[in-house]
């Protein structure tokens, strides 16, 4: 699905949660949510899910980053993060994750 080619529709639900494109102002909340989801300690979460990494993803591929936002409290309660890269099934993929993601 190529959703980014279409106008984004407000998907507000009665319980005040809406899905919107992720923006840099929510990067810290996204990190905190990822750390809670994976049960990662704060020091390790900063290394694995730094706000700078999320901001980089948002600047390189904004249409691949969305959040579920509790509009009553202004809190991120869900998120997706995706990226694009060149892949060929004919070539063995040996690159490590950091290099694949451009270190963030």
């Amino acid at each position: 699905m190529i959703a980014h080619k279409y106008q984004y529709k407000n998907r507000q639900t009665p319980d005040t949660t809406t899905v919107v494109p992720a923006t840099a102002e929510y990067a810290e909340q996204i990190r905190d949510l990822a750390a809670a989801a994976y049960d990662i300690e704060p020091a390790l979460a900063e290394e694995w899910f730094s706000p700078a990494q999320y901001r980089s993803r948002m600047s390189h591929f904004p249409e691949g980053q969305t959040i579920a936002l509790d509009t009553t409290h202004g809190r991120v309660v869900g998120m997706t993060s995706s990226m694009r890269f060149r892949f060929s099934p004919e070539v063995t993929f040996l690159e490590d994750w950091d290099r694949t993601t451009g270190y963030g």
Side-chain angles (χ1 to χ4, degrees), residues 88-100:
S88 171
E90 289 82 34
V91 178
T92 303
F93 188 74
L94 298 175
E95 190 172 86
D96 67 27
W97 182 250
D98 286 335
R99 184 171 173 84
T100 300

Side-chain angles (χ1 to χ4, degrees), residues 2-100:
I2 306 176
H4 69 276
K5 289 188 177 182
Y6 303 98
Q7 173 129 13
Y8 192 82
K9 295 177 183 168
N10 183 350
R11 296 187 175 120
Q12 187 79 25
T13 60
D15 64 357
T16 69
T17 300
T18 188
V19 176
V20 297
T23 59
E25 70 183 287
Y26 294 107
E28 286 80 11
Q29 288 189 46
I30 293 169
R31 183 241 0 251
D32 295 344
L33 181 67
Y38 292 105
D39 194 26
I40 304 297
E41 295 179 19
L44 192 54
E46 185 62 31
E47 180 182 332
W48 286 9
F49 311 113
S50 79
Q53 291 172 332
Y54 286 115
R55 287 186 193 100
S56 175
R57 292 176 193 173
M58 290 174 211
S59 70
H60 286 93
F61 185 40
E63 60 271 23
Q65 320 308 316
T66 60
I67 58 173
L69 188 63
D70 174 344
T71 57
T72 302
H73 302 101
R75 299 291 307 165
V76 175
V77 295
M79 56 86 65
T80 64
S81 184
S82 58
M83 65 180 189
R84 297 179 289 193
F85 66 97
R86 295 181 193 272
F87 173 76
S88 171
E90 289 82 34
V91 178
T92 303
F93 188 74
L94 298 175
E95 190 172 86
D96 67 27
W97 182 250
D98 286 335
R99 184 171 173 84
T100 300

